[in-house]
Amino acid sequence: MVRETAPCPVPMPDYHWTERQFDEMSWHDCHVHALRLVEGEYGAGELVLDLDYIVEWLCDAETCRFRIVPATLRFLEVTNLRLSLDYAGPSAAMGPFSIHAIERRDEPRERYVAQVWTIAINWPRGEIEFEAKGFEQGATGAPVMSAAQCLRADERGSHVEAG
């Protein structure tokens, strides 16, 4: 398969999002290249995902192209983290995992109401669930037009190590 990618021909706005835009956003088929845990105060921390955020799907009857921006998604004051990714079951090759969706819900606890986040993984199978106060997401590189949904390290910029 030939990969077609090109920098976007027009200047793009600074991409920065918070939980205020959650209902307008979709992470479907966005690929995660790295996951990092950052220790914080009082047992909480940050969950940081380096991902290819699909800003726009450009599809016609025959093909799709994607406007993708390398981004960092940072969940704030994270607790009660549970991770499940199964690369062994389907004999999946090591590589970025793909998000199906990110959901949030409120759940009552004994002393507070928790905001519970679930990241459903569509390849390989898995799920990430945790409590968090919110998120921020920002671009780490220039947008790219691509026939693929996942960028190579050289397309993402210098913040990701090439394998």
Side-chain angles (χ1 to χ4, degrees), residues 113-154:
V113 175
Q115 190 168 71
V116 179
W117 299 78
T118 302
I119 303 174
I121 309 300
N122 62 20
W123 183 255
R125 191 171 196 180
E127 182 177 88
I128 303 171
E129 188 172 89
F130 51 91
E131 295 179 21
K133 297 292 183 191
F135 73 86
E136 54 187 40
Q137 179 175 300
T140 58
V144 174
M145 290 296 294
S146 177
Q149 294 172 319
C150 184
L151 300 176
R152 296 183 314 260
D154 62 318

mmCIF file of all heavy atoms in Angstrom, residues 113-154:
data_model
loop_
_atom_site.group_PDB
_atom_site.id
_atom_site.type_symbol
_atom_site.label_atom_id
_atom_site.label_comp_id
_atom_site.label_asym_id
_atom_site.label_seq_id
_atom_site.Cartn_x
_atom_site.Cartn_y
_atom_site.Cartn_z
ATOM 1 N N VAL A 113 -18.580 12.652 44.111
ATOM 2 C CA VAL A 113 -19.049 12.107 42.835
ATOM 3 C C VAL A 113 -17.847 12.055 41.906
ATOM 4 O O VAL A 113 -17.213 13.078 41.633
ATOM 5 C CB VAL A 113 -20.175 12.970 42.228
ATOM 6 C CG1 VAL A 113 -20.563 12.443 40.851
ATOM 7 C CG2 VAL A 113 -21.391 13.001 43.152
ATOM 8 N N ALA A 114 -17.519 10.854 41.449
ATOM 9 C CA ALA A 114 -16.348 10.656 40.591
ATOM 10 C C ALA A 114 -16.721 10.852 39.135
ATOM 11 O O ALA A 114 -17.803 10.464 38.699
ATOM 12 C CB ALA A 114 -15.798 9.251 40.784
ATOM 13 N N GLN A 115 -15.813 11.454 38.371
ATOM 14 C CA GLN A 115 -15.948 11.483 36.927
ATOM 15 C C GLN A 115 -15.084 10.339 36.401
ATOM 16 O O GLN A 115 -13.857 10.369 36.501
ATOM 17 C CB GLN A 115 -15.503 12.823 36.358
ATOM 18 C CG GLN A 115 -15.866 12.975 34.897
ATOM 19 C CD GLN A 115 -15.679 14.392 34.427
ATOM 20 O OE1 GLN A 115 -14.538 14.853 34.292
ATOM 21 N NE2 GLN A 115 -16.769 15.089 34.181
ATOM 22 N N VAL A 116 -15.758 9.301 35.885
ATOM 23 C CA VAL A 116 -15.087 8.083 35.423
ATOM 24 C C VAL A 116 -14.953 8.148 33.899
ATOM 25 O O VAL A 116 -15.929 8.413 33.192
ATOM 26 C CB VAL A 116 -15.872 6.828 35.846
ATOM 27 C CG1 VAL A 116 -15.179 5.566 35.327
ATOM 28 C CG2 VAL A 116 -16.023 6.784 37.362
ATOM 29 N N TRP A 117 -13.747 7.912 33.435
ATOM 30 C CA TRP A 117 -13.437 7.940 32.005
ATOM 31 C C TRP A 117 -13.123 6.526 31.541
ATOM 32 O O TRP A 117 -12.406 5.784 32.228
ATOM 33 C CB TRP A 117 -12.231 8.832 31.744
ATOM 34 C CG TRP A 117 -12.431 10.246 32.151
ATOM 35 C CD1 TRP A 117 -12.370 10.755 33.425
ATOM 36 C CD2 TRP A 117 -12.752 11.339 31.308
ATOM 37 N NE1 TRP A 117 -12.629 12.101 33.403
ATOM 38 C CE2 TRP A 117 -12.867 12.489 32.111
ATOM 39 C CE3 TRP A 117 -12.953 11.471 29.935
ATOM 40 C CZ2 TRP A 117 -13.160 13.739 31.595
ATOM 41 C CZ3 TRP A 117 -13.236 12.724 29.416
ATOM 42 C CH2 TRP A 117 -13.345 13.834 30.243
ATOM 43 N N THR A 118 -13.637 6.145 30.378
ATOM 44 C CA THR A 118 -13.333 4.853 29.776
ATOM 45 C C THR A 118 -12.845 5.091 28.355
ATOM 46 O O THR A 118 -13.522 5.761 27.564
ATOM 47 C CB THR A 118 -14.577 3.943 29.734
ATOM 48 O OG1 THR A 118 -15.070 3.776 31.065
ATOM 49 C CG2 THR A 118 -14.241 2.581 29.151
ATOM 50 N N ILE A 119 -11.665 4.568 28.056
ATOM 51 C CA ILE A 119 -11.126 4.598 26.701
ATOM 52 C C ILE A 119 -11.244 3.183 26.157
ATOM 53 O O ILE A 119 -10.524 2.277 26.595
ATOM 54 C CB ILE A 119 -9.658 5.071 26.677
ATOM 55 C CG1 ILE A 119 -9.531 6.456 27.318
ATOM 56 C CG2 ILE A 119 -9.123 5.075 25.242
ATOM 57 C CD1 ILE A 119 -8.097 6.946 27.461
ATOM 58 N N ALA A 120 -12.188 2.978 25.246
ATOM 59 C CA ALA A 120 -12.367 1.670 24.610
ATOM 60 C C ALA A 120 -11.350 1.562 23.473
ATOM 61 O O ALA A 120 -11.236 2.461 22.640
ATOM 62 C CB ALA A 120 -13.787 1.534 24.079
ATOM 63 N N ILE A 121 -10.616 0.458 23.460
ATOM 64 C CA ILE A 121 -9.575 0.230 22.456
ATOM 65 C C ILE A 121 -10.129 -0.742 21.419
ATOM 66 O O ILE A 121 -10.656 -1.790 21.769
ATOM 67 C CB ILE A 121 -8.307 -0.379 23.102
ATOM 68 C CG1 ILE A 121 -7.845 0.432 24.325
ATOM 69 C CG2 ILE A 121 -7.199 -0.546 22.074
ATOM 70 C CD1 ILE A 121 -7.496 1.861 24.057
ATOM 71 N N ASN A 122 -10.009 -0.379 20.116
ATOM 72 C CA ASN A 122 -10.524 -1.298 19.104
ATOM 73 C C ASN A 122 -9.461 -2.193 18.474
ATOM 74 O O ASN A 122 -9.802 -3.189 17.874
ATOM 75 C CB ASN A 122 -11.350 -0.569 18.028
ATOM 76 C CG ASN A 122 -10.581 0.448 17.240
ATOM 77 O OD1 ASN A 122 -9.358 0.428 17.184
ATOM 78 N ND2 ASN A 122 -11.298 1.365 16.637
ATOM 79 N N TRP A 123 -8.180 -1.856 18.594
ATOM 80 C CA TRP A 123 -7.126 -2.766 18.145
ATOM 81 C C TRP A 123 -5.846 -2.487 18.875
ATOM 82 O O TRP A 123 -5.398 -1.346 18.862
ATOM 83 C CB TRP A 123 -6.889 -2.679 16.639
ATOM 84 C CG TRP A 123 -5.853 -3.686 16.236
ATOM 85 C CD1 TRP A 123 -4.557 -3.432 15.905
ATOM 86 C CD2 TRP A 123 -6.002 -5.092 16.176
ATOM 87 N NE1 TRP A 123 -3.903 -4.594 15.638
ATOM 88 C CE2 TRP A 123 -4.769 -5.640 15.795
ATOM 89 C CE3 TRP A 123 -7.053 -5.976 16.422
ATOM 90 C CZ2 TRP A 123 -4.558 -6.997 15.646
ATOM 91 C CZ3 TRP A 123 -6.846 -7.335 16.268
ATOM 92 C CH2 TRP A 123 -5.604 -7.823 15.881
ATOM 93 N N PRO A 124 -5.228 -3.483 19.478
ATOM 94 C CA PRO A 124 -5.867 -4.750 19.796
ATOM 95 C C PRO A 124 -6.939 -4.521 20.853
ATOM 96 O O PRO A 124 -7.114 -3.399 21.329
ATOM 97 C CB PRO A 124 -4.720 -5.606 20.321
ATOM 98 C CG PRO A 124 -3.758 -4.623 20.901
ATOM 99 C CD PRO A 124 -3.898 -3.369 20.071
ATOM 100 N N ARG A 125 -7.614 -5.537 21.222
ATOM 101 C CA ARG A 125 -8.724 -5.388 22.162
ATOM 102 C C ARG A 125 -8.224 -4.896 23.513
ATOM 103 O O ARG A 125 -7.183 -5.326 23.997
ATOM 104 C CB ARG A 125 -9.404 -6.735 22.329
ATOM 105 C CG ARG A 125 -10.684 -6.640 23.059
ATOM 106 C CD ARG A 125 -11.416 -7.935 22.997
ATOM 107 N NE ARG A 125 -12.789 -7.647 23.386
ATOM 108 C CZ ARG A 125 -13.713 -8.549 23.445
ATOM 109 N NH1 ARG A 125 -13.449 -9.776 23.126
ATOM 110 N NH2 ARG A 125 -14.920 -8.219 23.809
ATOM 111 N N GLY A 126 -8.997 -3.980 24.119
ATOM 112 C CA GLY A 126 -8.597 -3.503 25.429
ATOM 113 C C GLY A 126 -9.449 -2.356 25.919
ATOM 114 O O GLY A 126 -10.416 -1.939 25.262
ATOM 115 N N GLU A 127 -9.063 -1.859 27.093
ATOM 116 C CA GLU A 127 -9.795 -0.769 27.720
ATOM 117 C C GLU A 127 -8.894 -0.109 28.762
ATOM 118 O O GLU A 127 -8.085 -0.760 29.407
ATOM 119 C CB GLU A 127 -11.056 -1.317 28.390
ATOM 120 C CG GLU A 127 -11.920 -0.271 29.045
ATOM 121 C CD GLU A 127 -13.187 -0.862 29.632
ATOM 122 O OE1 GLU A 127 -13.142 -1.287 30.805
ATOM 123 O OE2 GLU A 127 -14.192 -0.912 28.898
ATOM 124 N N ILE A 128 -9.055 1.194 28.907
ATOM 125 C CA ILE A 128 -8.387 1.954 29.953
ATOM 126 C C ILE A 128 -9.492 2.685 30.704
ATOM 127 O O ILE A 128 -10.322 3.354 30.086
ATOM 128 C CB ILE A 128 -7.383 2.969 29.369
ATOM 129 C CG1 ILE A 128 -6.350 2.252 28.486
ATOM 130 C CG2 ILE A 128 -6.706 3.763 30.477
ATOM 131 C CD1 ILE A 128 -5.453 3.198 27.698
ATOM 132 N N GLU A 129 -9.524 2.519 32.033
ATOM 133 C CA GLU A 129 -10.564 3.182 32.824
ATOM 134 C C GLU A 129 -9.918 3.836 34.040
ATOM 135 O O GLU A 129 -8.982 3.292 34.626
ATOM 136 C CB GLU A 129 -11.636 2.191 33.263
ATOM 137 C CG GLU A 129 -12.824 2.879 33.909
ATOM 138 C CD GLU A 129 -13.968 1.925 34.181
ATOM 139 O OE1 GLU A 129 -13.987 1.316 35.273
ATOM 140 O OE2 GLU A 129 -14.824 1.785 33.295
ATOM 141 N N PHE A 130 -10.445 5.019 34.417
ATOM 142 C CA PHE A 130 -9.858 5.776 35.521
ATOM 143 C C PHE A 130 -10.809 6.890 35.923
ATOM 144 O O PHE A 130 -11.756 7.215 35.209
ATOM 145 C CB PHE A 130 -8.505 6.367 35.104
ATOM 146 C CG PHE A 130 -8.565 7.135 33.813
ATOM 147 C CD1 PHE A 130 -8.814 8.501 33.793
ATOM 148 C CD2 PHE A 130 -8.397 6.477 32.598
ATOM 149 C CE1 PHE A 130 -8.887 9.199 32.602
ATOM 150 C CE2 PHE A 130 -8.473 7.167 31.398
ATOM 151 C CZ PHE A 130 -8.717 8.528 31.395
ATOM 152 N N GLU A 131 -10.515 7.494 37.073
ATOM 153 C CA GLU A 131 -11.179 8.717 37.485
ATOM 154 C C GLU A 131 -10.243 9.870 37.162
ATOM 155 O O GLU A 131 -9.024 9.734 37.292
ATOM 156 C CB GLU A 131 -11.482 8.699 38.986
ATOM 157 C CG GLU A 131 -12.479 7.645 39.401
ATOM 158 C CD GLU A 131 -12.740 7.625 40.901
ATOM 159 O OE1 GLU A 131 -12.478 8.638 41.585
ATOM 160 O OE2 GLU A 131 -13.201 6.574 41.391
ATOM 161 N N ALA A 132 -10.813 11.004 36.717
ATOM 162 C CA ALA A 132 -9.998 12.187 36.428
ATOM 163 C C ALA A 132 -10.854 13.434 36.562
ATOM 164 O O ALA A 132 -12.078 13.379 36.435
ATOM 165 C CB ALA A 132 -9.402 12.109 35.027
ATOM 166 N N LYS A 133 -10.200 14.550 36.809
ATOM 167 C CA LYS A 133 -10.888 15.844 36.934
ATOM 168 C C LYS A 133 -11.174 16.467 35.579
ATOM 169 O O LYS A 133 -11.962 17.391 35.481
ATOM 170 C CB LYS A 133 -10.051 16.818 37.760
ATOM 171 C CG LYS A 133 -9.823 16.375 39.168
ATOM 172 C CD LYS A 133 -11.109 16.396 39.956
ATOM 173 C CE LYS A 133 -10.818 16.005 41.399
ATOM 174 N NZ LYS A 133 -12.003 15.749 42.164
ATOM 175 N N GLY A 134 -10.530 16.024 34.531
ATOM 176 C CA GLY A 134 -10.722 16.586 33.203
ATOM 177 C C GLY A 134 -9.526 16.283 32.334
ATOM 178 O O GLY A 134 -8.696 15.443 32.679
ATOM 179 N N PHE A 135 -9.444 16.950 31.198
ATOM 180 C CA PHE A 135 -8.322 16.725 30.287
ATOM 181 C C PHE A 135 -7.986 18.005 29.552
ATOM 182 O O PHE A 135 -8.759 18.959 29.505
ATOM 183 C CB PHE A 135 -8.636 15.613 29.271
ATOM 184 C CG PHE A 135 -9.612 15.999 28.191
ATOM 185 C CD1 PHE A 135 -9.179 16.622 27.027
ATOM 186 C CD2 PHE A 135 -10.960 15.735 28.334
ATOM 187 C CE1 PHE A 135 -10.079 16.983 26.032
ATOM 188 C CE2 PHE A 135 -11.867 16.083 27.347
ATOM 189 C CZ PHE A 135 -11.421 16.712 26.194
ATOM 190 N N GLU A 136 -6.808 17.972 28.965
ATOM 191 C CA GLU A 136 -6.411 18.985 27.992
ATOM 192 C C GLU A 136 -5.694 18.252 26.875
ATOM 193 O O GLU A 136 -5.027 17.237 27.113
ATOM 194 C CB GLU A 136 -5.546 20.077 28.608
ATOM 195 C CG GLU A 136 -4.336 19.592 29.331
ATOM 196 C CD GLU A 136 -3.602 20.706 30.074
ATOM 197 O OE1 GLU A 136 -4.269 21.567 30.666
ATOM 198 O OE2 GLU A 136 -2.359 20.682 30.045
ATOM 199 N N GLN A 137 -5.882 18.727 25.671
ATOM 200 C CA GLN A 137 -5.237 18.115 24.508
ATOM 201 C C GLN A 137 -4.699 19.227 23.633
ATOM 202 O O GLN A 137 -5.402 20.216 23.389
ATOM 203 C CB GLN A 137 -6.234 17.258 23.727
ATOM 204 C CG GLN A 137 -5.634 16.620 22.481
ATOM 205 C CD GLN A 137 -6.592 15.677 21.793
ATOM 206 O OE1 GLN A 137 -7.032 14.702 22.389
ATOM 207 N NE2 GLN A 137 -6.917 15.950 20.540
ATOM 208 N N GLY A 138 -3.478 19.065 23.186
ATOM 209 C CA GLY A 138 -2.876 20.072 22.332
ATOM 210 C C GLY A 138 -2.017 19.450 21.257
ATOM 211 O O GLY A 138 -1.443 18.375 21.439
ATOM 212 N N ALA A 139 -1.960 20.129 20.129
ATOM 213 C CA ALA A 139 -1.133 19.681 19.017
ATOM 214 C C ALA A 139 0.338 19.763 19.386
ATOM 215 O O ALA A 139 0.765 20.680 20.088
ATOM 216 C CB ALA A 139 -1.408 20.525 17.783
ATOM 217 N N THR A 140 1.112 18.802 18.911
ATOM 218 C CA THR A 140 2.554 18.805 19.122
ATOM 219 C C THR A 140 3.306 18.922 17.800
ATOM 220 O O THR A 140 4.523 18.884 17.778
ATOM 221 C CB THR A 140 3.005 17.533 19.858
ATOM 222 O OG1 THR A 140 2.602 16.394 19.087
ATOM 223 C CG2 THR A 140 2.405 17.468 21.246
ATOM 224 N N GLY A 141 2.565 19.026 16.710
ATOM 225 C CA GLY A 141 3.161 19.139 15.391
ATOM 226 C C GLY A 141 2.145 19.718 14.425
ATOM 227 O O GLY A 141 0.999 19.989 14.791
ATOM 228 N N ALA A 142 2.570 19.888 13.194
ATOM 229 C CA ALA A 142 1.709 20.458 12.159
ATOM 230 C C ALA A 142 0.728 19.408 11.648
ATOM 231 O O ALA A 142 1.031 18.209 11.629
ATOM 232 C CB ALA A 142 2.562 20.964 11.006
ATOM 233 N N PRO A 143 -0.458 19.829 11.213
ATOM 234 C CA PRO A 143 -1.415 18.891 10.625
ATOM 235 C C PRO A 143 -0.865 18.291 9.328
ATOM 236 O O PRO A 143 -0.102 18.933 8.610
ATOM 237 C CB PRO A 143 -2.643 19.742 10.332
ATOM 238 C CG PRO A 143 -2.386 21.085 10.854
ATOM 239 C CD PRO A 143 -0.956 21.189 11.240
ATOM 240 N N VAL A 144 -1.280 17.052 9.062
ATOM 241 C CA VAL A 144 -0.848 16.320 7.875
ATOM 242 C C VAL A 144 -2.092 15.749 7.212
ATOM 243 O O VAL A 144 -2.986 15.248 7.894
ATOM 244 C CB VAL A 144 0.116 15.171 8.277
ATOM 245 C CG1 VAL A 144 0.468 14.298 7.095
ATOM 246 C CG2 VAL A 144 1.372 15.720 8.927
ATOM 247 N N MET A 145 -2.147 15.816 5.882
ATOM 248 C CA MET A 145 -3.192 15.118 5.128
ATOM 249 C C MET A 145 -2.641 13.739 4.790
ATOM 250 O O MET A 145 -1.518 13.625 4.306
ATOM 251 C CB MET A 145 -3.539 15.869 3.841
ATOM 252 C CG MET A 145 -4.270 17.170 4.070
ATOM 253 S SD MET A 145 -5.889 16.959 4.826
ATOM 254 C CE MET A 145 -6.754 16.091 3.539
ATOM 255 N N SER A 146 -3.446 12.690 5.050
ATOM 256 C CA SER A 146 -2.943 11.339 4.878
ATOM 257 C C SER A 146 -4.039 10.403 4.393
ATOM 258 O O SER A 146 -5.205 10.567 4.749
ATOM 259 C CB SER A 146 -2.397 10.824 6.217
ATOM 260 O OG SER A 146 -1.955 9.493 6.105
ATOM 261 N N ALA A 147 -3.650 9.404 3.625
ATOM 262 C CA ALA A 147 -4.563 8.339 3.233
ATOM 263 C C ALA A 147 -4.665 7.294 4.348
ATOM 264 O O ALA A 147 -5.574 6.477 4.344
ATOM 265 C CB ALA A 147 -4.089 7.679 1.939
ATOM 266 N N ALA A 148 -3.745 7.334 5.303
ATOM 267 C CA ALA A 148 -3.749 6.408 6.435
ATOM 268 C C ALA A 148 -4.219 7.149 7.683
ATOM 269 O O ALA A 148 -4.143 8.371 7.766
ATOM 270 C CB ALA A 148 -2.342 5.851 6.660
ATOM 271 N N GLN A 149 -4.705 6.398 8.682
ATOM 272 C CA GLN A 149 -5.182 6.994 9.929
ATOM 273 C C GLN A 149 -4.087 7.121 10.976
ATOM 274 O O GLN A 149 -4.322 7.659 12.050
ATOM 275 C CB GLN A 149 -6.334 6.167 10.496
ATOM 276 C CG GLN A 149 -7.561 6.205 9.625
ATOM 277 C CD GLN A 149 -8.615 5.235 10.103
ATOM 278 O OE1 GLN A 149 -8.316 4.108 10.506
ATOM 279 N NE2 GLN A 149 -9.850 5.665 10.049
ATOM 280 N N CYS A 150 -2.904 6.621 10.678
ATOM 281 C CA CYS A 150 -1.805 6.592 11.638
ATOM 282 C C CYS A 150 -0.558 7.159 10.973
ATOM 283 O O CYS A 150 -0.226 6.764 9.856
ATOM 284 C CB CYS A 150 -1.575 5.149 12.084
ATOM 285 S SG CYS A 150 -0.327 4.925 13.342
ATOM 286 N N LEU A 151 0.103 8.079 11.642
ATOM 287 C CA LEU A 151 1.306 8.692 11.091
ATOM 288 C C LEU A 151 2.560 7.922 11.495
ATOM 289 O O LEU A 151 2.609 7.295 12.552
ATOM 290 C CB LEU A 151 1.425 10.137 11.586
ATOM 291 C CG LEU A 151 0.276 11.073 11.221
ATOM 292 C CD1 LEU A 151 0.486 12.439 11.855
ATOM 293 C CD2 LEU A 151 0.099 11.180 9.722
ATOM 294 N N ARG A 152 3.561 7.982 10.637
ATOM 295 C CA ARG A 152 4.877 7.433 10.975
ATOM 296 C C ARG A 152 5.584 8.409 11.908
ATOM 297 O O ARG A 152 5.232 9.584 11.988
ATOM 298 C CB ARG A 152 5.715 7.237 9.712
ATOM 299 C CG ARG A 152 5.155 6.218 8.746
ATOM 300 C CD ARG A 152 6.106 6.046 7.543
ATOM 301 N NE ARG A 152 6.568 7.308 7.004
ATOM 302 C CZ ARG A 152 6.065 7.893 5.917
ATOM 303 N NH1 ARG A 152 5.076 7.339 5.257
ATOM 304 N NH2 ARG A 152 6.566 9.046 5.485
ATOM 305 N N ALA A 153 6.611 7.946 12.594
ATOM 306 C CA ALA A 153 7.351 8.791 13.537
ATOM 307 C C ALA A 153 7.901 10.042 12.856
ATOM 308 O O ALA A 153 7.829 11.137 13.414
ATOM 309 C CB ALA A 153 8.478 7.997 14.186
ATOM 310 N N ASP A 154 8.419 9.918 11.631
ATOM 311 C CA ASP A 154 8.972 11.089 10.949
ATOM 312 C C ASP A 154 7.881 12.090 10.559
ATOM 313 O O ASP A 154 8.156 13.273 10.385
ATOM 314 C CB ASP A 154 9.799 10.680 9.723
ATOM 315 C CG ASP A 154 8.989 9.961 8.667
ATOM 316 O OD1 ASP A 154 8.149 9.101 9.017
ATOM 317 O OD2 ASP A 154 9.195 10.243 7.475
#
